[in-house]
Amino acid sequence: MIFNPRRSYLLLALILFAACGKKGGGSDDAVKAFDREAILEGNIGFACMDDDVESRVASLLSQMTLEEKVLQMHGDRMEDVTYALGVERLGIPGMVLTDGPRGAKPSPATTFPVGICRGATWNTALEKKVGEVMGAETRAKGADVLLAPTLEPVRHPRWGRTQETFGEDPFLVARMGVAFISGVQNHVMASAKHYAANNIEDTRFTVSANMDERTLREIYLPPFKSAVMEAGSATVMSAYNRVNGDYCGENEHLLRDILKGEWGFKGFVESDWLVGTRSTVKAANNGLDAEMPGANYFGDALVAAVNDGEVSMEVIDEAVGRILRQKFCFGLDRNPVADPSIVESADHVAVALQSAREGIVLLKNQGGLLPLNKETTGSIVLAGSLADFTNLGDYGSSSLAPTVTTTIKDGLVAAHPGTLFLDTDTLSGEEETAMGDADAVVIVVGNFWRDEGENMPIVDPETGLYTEDSGDRKSLNLKPEHEALIKKAASLNDRVIVVLIGSGAFFMDGWLEDVEGLLMAWYPGMRGGQAVAEVLFGEVNPSGKLPMTFPKSDAQLPVFDNTSTEVEFDMWHGYRLADREGYQPNFPFGFGLSYTTFEYSNLRLSTDAIKAGETVEVRVDLTNTGDRAGDEVVQLYVSYEGSAVERAVKELKGFGRLSLNPGETKTLLMEVKAEDLAYYNMEAGAWTVEPLTATLKVGPSSANLPLGAELEVR
Ligand code: GLC
């Protein structure tokens, strides 16, 4: 054999590489829980940091009149979308902004499951695809900014816009938000909203959410910090409410100190619509860049304020510069072509269906009733007035309708043509008999737009009249007629499956024990009915995990005051509260069943000690020990021992999905930075990585963490 030095070195290198890979350092065959580079791929948000845009912006600012500059700092008019103007003579393009978190308005468009359902997928790779579809359809409709995602962690399930966000935990919401924004910003600007702590709907225009700095930093801001610093969100929408007394649209601490100062935000802040801007001088000086949708404060009044010396030209130039930078980075001056033909394409609809499939959470499956066997299951009775209702979510700003919606009735009848559908919540005698004789009973109950949603004048589609309904939920109870229907079904048949529709937690005492199957389907979007049927019949193995705690009663919840104009927020809600108070909720954060079983093993860390600036690689093996393929969301929580301050009993600091065939084992790789374990030190006014012993716990839910490992933080 002729000695070929090049080939030998290559061979040697491969051997060395393979060897070091086995020691668990370097890149073994582990699946990355959060594939940062894949998620960020194509995100224009980071293309903005380049010099020729800066020089172009500077040159334009030197040519623009004050009136032309101020024209950039407000919307022009709101129709089905909102229009903002450009400056023709200088080649500055206008800008079109449209909602929202469920898809690109106006209807029709691909209508996704609501954010909370997508939060239940814990699938950042899929959520990036969702963002890409929504971004592409936004562009296809000739718009430049998608007013999404909603990133407030859910403090209390009665909040009327719970459906729009990704869940109760800041880490989960942050990761899903980064994925979504990166997808959207492959096409158009995203808008991280509503900054910040917009967690009560009925008093949203006036309430002040009062909290200490640690609560603000550790609970309510992390999704926005990630949106800006990890996903380069082009815009941030300031919220209607006040935080510690100051309206968010003129809150210097939020806008200048934190967002533009500490986080180095390069995009622009637009106010929420109509009453999101509350002043001219204070708002401009405190960091608001654009009033939407019109010019109550940022029109002539702002020109006058500059001429009177109350607002400096530097403030104006900084705001206008931010707006121009994003316009050019996202190519608005290149007149991107709108191509409506891609809206609701089969590929796009397929992503909406996949989100529904993965967001449905199987909460109870007694005696292996589910999945129903299509062949051997004879008569199925489907009951409930919501089963055939087009129930895509609220009629607030995020409302959107596709050309065709698959209801649960559509999905079940298509999957099992013999299904008897009772479009009612109260049964007649013969309906009771049919239900009693059925092989299986499916009951659909829950909420619709009148029960919860954005609090705004809404045109009732049935009557065509304006109604003030919706807003915060009155309670977490099911409607009495829905509870009665469940109890009736349970008294007639011992194979009853309840499908819950809504934004989140319901109280279940009084019927949970009496039913055999329970699914949480949220508002599952335009193909939600198909996804529900696929889960019921086992074509899809459910993999959703709760992105919010389902408590037993109000006693397990923080106070929800949606009438006062001053409310106190603290760090304790959801699983953090449950752990602190020792509550056992009906279903814990991160919980979800599968039709197969999984085994966790071999938790190992790349090091047993880290200090600030360092990262630990956490690997865990997962085996599918059942007889069917399935996905599992692995969760990593951290507990702290020896902290200088009170910490949560545990906090989510990592998660990832694995798809496994029966008998298959894969390794998941999660990374935890020392900074992820820091607390916000109010005395120092800074994040503090403190010396302590962290215990990293891994498992299928916040209440089931079979594996643990200690990590010294120095
Ligand atoms: C609404 C909402 C906001 C929406 C905006 C434009 O009031 O609070 O989420 O993007 O106005 O519709």
Side-chain angles (χ1 to χ4, degrees):
M1 182 183 100
I2 298 168
F3 176 67
N4 170 342
R6 217 185 76 73
R7 188 208 301 250
S8 310
Y9 284 129
L10 192 61
L11 197 59
L12 180 63
L14 282 175
I15 291 166
L16 285 176
F17 180 79
C20 83
K22 285 289 163 288
K23 274 207 295 299
S27 64
D28 47 19
D29 55 0
V31 175
K32 278 187 180 176
F34 185 69
D35 189 341
R36 190 174 302 281
E37 55 270 17
I39 292 286
L40 294 180
E41 198 272 325
N43 179 345
I44 300 167
F46 291 107
C48 294
M49 321 308 175
D50 67 15
D51 297 343
D52 66 354
V53 167
E54 296 307 323
S55 57
R56 186 172 174 197
V57 165
S59 154
L60 281 169
L61 287 173
S62 67
Q63 301 169 60
M64 293 168 82
T65 65
L66 172 58
E67 286 69 16
E68 287 170 333
K69 290 177 181 177
V70 164
L71 191 68
Q72 293 298 293
M73 294 176 68
H74 61 77
D76 178 58
R77 66 193 186 285
M78 181 176 183
E79 291 159 13
D80 51 354
V81 296
T82 294
Y83 297 89
L85 301 178
V87 181
E88 189 76 30
R89 76 180 184 89
L90 293 170
I92 296 173
M95 181 167 64
V96 178
L97 306 93
T98 193
D99 290 297
R102 209 184 300 165
K105 294 176 77 168
S107 299
T110 301
T111 305
F112 282 85
V114 294
I116 200 74
C117 179
R118 305 196 324 256
T121 70
W122 298 59
N123 188 338
T124 49
L126 177 60
E127 189 59 21
K128 175 177 183 178
K129 288 198 183 84
V130 172
E132 285 182 80
V133 168
M134 286 199 204
E137 295 199 2
T138 300
R139 171 64 69 221
K141 290 163 178 266
D144 310 298
V145 184
L146 180 67
L147 300 169
T150 299
L151 290 177
E152 298 90 298
V154 175
R155 173 182 172 276
H156 193 292
R158 283 183 54 196
W159 173 39
R161 295 179 77 173
T162 294
Q163 62 191 270
E164 288 185 35
T165 182
F166 294 115
E168 75 182 32
D169 177 84
F171 184 88
L172 174 62
V173 176
R175 281 279 160 92
M176 296 301 282
V178 166
F180 178 82
I181 289 168
S182 290
V184 170
Q185 297 202 154
N186 269 252
H187 300 278
V188 295
M189 297 182 222
S191 184
K193 73 184 187 182
H194 309 81
Y195 183 68
N198 170 52
N199 284 81
I200 298 170
E201 199 50 27
D202 290 1
T203 52
R204 66 173 174 161
F205 298 129
T206 54
V207 70
S208 179
N210 302 326
M211 66 191 86
D212 67 22
E213 192 70 10
R214 186 175 175 211
T215 300
L216 181 66
R217 300 290 191 138
E218 292 193 18
I219 302 297
Y220 293 96
L221 292 191
F224 294 94
K225 181 175 184 179
S226 297
V228 165
M229 300 186 79
E230 293 182 58
S233 185
T235 85
V236 165
M237 184 189 296
S238 57
Y240 286 127
N241 55 283
R242 293 178 288 149
V243 170
N244 293 328
D246 265 338
Y247 282 105
C248 291
E250 53 190 40
N251 189 309
E252 186 172 26
H253 185 51
L254 288 178
L255 300 180
R256 289 218 181 277
D257 300 345
I258 299 175
L259 178 64
K260 295 179 174 182
E262 287 176 45
W263 298 349
F265 178 52
K266 289 282 181 292
F268 63 88
V269 180
E270 85 266 347
S271 72
D272 203 339
W273 267 230
L274 302 172
V275 290
T277 304
R278 292 282 176 159
S279 64
T280 297
V281 174
K282 183 176 180 184
N285 285 335
N286 286 358
L288 182 66
D289 300 311
E291 173 186 7
M292 287 295 161
N296 295 328
Y297 292 97
F298 273 22
D300 298 342
L302 184 53
V303 172
V306 176
N307 290 332
D308 298 346
E310 292 178 286
V311 175
S312 70
M313 190 60 84
E314 286 71 31
V315 163
I316 299 295
D317 285 353
E318 188 249 346
V320 177
R322 289 172 177 274
I323 296 163
L324 295 181
R325 179 182 298 120
Q326 298 308 322
K327 285 186 171 182
F328 297 135
C329 289
F330 281 83
L332 273 57
D333 55 325
R334 295 193 293 276
N335 276 327
V337 175
D339 171 14
S341 71
I342 67 164
V343 176
E344 288 192 283
S345 68
D347 290 353
H348 289 184
V349 174
V351 179
L353 173 58
Q354 190 57 23
S355 275
R357 284 168 170 165
E358 296 190 17
I360 290 168
V361 183
L362 178 61
L363 293 172
K364 185 174 181 183
N365 185 15
Q366 190 171 299
L369 168 61
L370 292 170
L372 299 173
N373 182 315
K374 265 190 182 177
E375 278 59 55
T376 59
T377 303
S379 63
I380 292 180
V381 167
L382 167 68
S385 56
L386 285 184
D388 199 29
F389 178 75
T390 298
N391 204 359
L392 297 160
D394 74 357
Y395 283 134
S397 60
S398 67
S399 74
L400 181 69
T403 306
V404 176
T405 297
T406 307
T407 65
I408 293 174
K409 178 246 179 185
D410 296 335
L412 263 176
V413 168
H416 195 80
T419 298
L420 170 62
F421 172 46
L422 308 177
D423 191 2
T424 176
D425 296 327
T426 48
L427 305 174
S428 67
E430 61 189 78
E431 287 167 338
E432 290 188 13
T433 307
M435 187 174 277
D437 298 344
D439 279 1
V441 175
V442 179
I443 303 285
V444 179
V445 291
N447 285 348
F448 73 121
W449 66 271
R450 278 196 184 278
D451 301 313
E452 55 181 341
E454 187 170 349
N455 190 27
M456 60 197 280
I458 293 168
V459 176
D460 182 332
E462 268 91 52
T463 64
L465 302 175
Y466 273 97
T467 168
E468 277 301 329
D469 268 22
S470 206
D472 294 316
R473 291 169 68 177
K474 304 290 182 284
S475 88
L476 300 190
N477 290 316
L478 282 174
K479 297 179 184 71
E481 61 271 26
H482 284 173
E483 283 215 8
L485 175 61
I486 293 171
K487 288 176 178 170
K488 172 61 71 182
S491 69
L492 294 166
N493 196 303
D494 60 3
R495 293 162 60 85
V496 174
I497 301 126
V498 172
V499 178
L500 286 175
I501 300 291
S503 69
F506 286 95
F507 294 145
M508 304 173 178
D509 287 0
W511 56 267
L512 179 56
E513 298 316 311
D514 304 335
V515 300
E516 287 68 40
L518 177 60
L519 289 180
M520 182 67 202
W522 318 100
Y523 294 109
M526 64 192 294
R527 292 288 180 274
Q530 177 183 338
V532 168
E534 289 172 337
V535 167
L536 289 175
F537 288 105
E539 281 152 64
V540 166
N541 187 352
S543 58
K545 302 266 179 137
L546 291 181
M548 63 193 296
T549 305
F550 277 27
K552 278 191 170 53
S553 69
D554 281 316
Q556 296 187 347
L557 286 163
V559 167
F560 187 70
D561 175 353
N562 65 344
T563 56
S564 307
T565 54
E566 301 281 337
V567 294
E568 295 304 316
F569 283 8
D570 61 23
M571 292 176 48
W572 312 107
H573 64 256
Y575 71 88
R576 283 176 169 79
L577 179 67
D579 287 345
R580 188 180 196 231
E581 306 297 334
Y583 296 152
Q584 294 303 322
N586 273 329
F587 297 102
F589 177 78
F591 179 83
L593 298 175
S594 171
Y595 293 148
T596 187
T597 53
F598 297 100
E599 188 178 283
Y600 287 70
S601 63
N602 195 11
L603 172 66
R604 65 268 193 203
L605 309 185
S606 58
T607 172
D608 57 8
I610 56 172
K611 61 181 186 301
E614 294 180 342
T615 298
V616 59
E617 293 184 344
V618 182
R619 287 175 177 78
V620 65
D621 292 347
L622 188 75
T623 304
N624 180 342
T625 48
D627 59 5
R628 57 185 303 147
D631 281 18
E632 169 73 337
V633 175
V634 174
Q635 297 157 49
L636 164 67
Y637 296 81
V638 179
S639 297
Y640 309 93
E641 195 186 314
S643 175
V645 293
E646 180 182 5
R647 298 283 200 120
V649 169
K650 62 176 180 290
E651 296 182 308
L652 180 74
K653 293 296 178 186
F655 63 88
R657 278 177 80 101
L658 287 175
S659 299
L660 294 170
N661 291 317
E664 189 177 16
T665 297
K666 285 182 184 172
T667 301
L668 184 72
L669 166 60
M670 294 174 277
E671 297 179 334
V672 178
K673 300 194 296 292
E675 285 70 17
D676 295 337
L677 309 182
Y679 77 95
Y680 189 79
N681 181 334
M682 291 193 282
E683 284 64 49
W687 289 91
T688 299
V689 176
E690 56 178 341
L692 50 69
T693 302
T695 303
L696 278 58
K697 303 172 182 175
V698 174
S701 91
S702 63
N704 180 3
L705 298 166
L707 304 181
E710 289 198 346
L711 174 74
E712 289 308 313
V713 181
R714 299 211 171 93

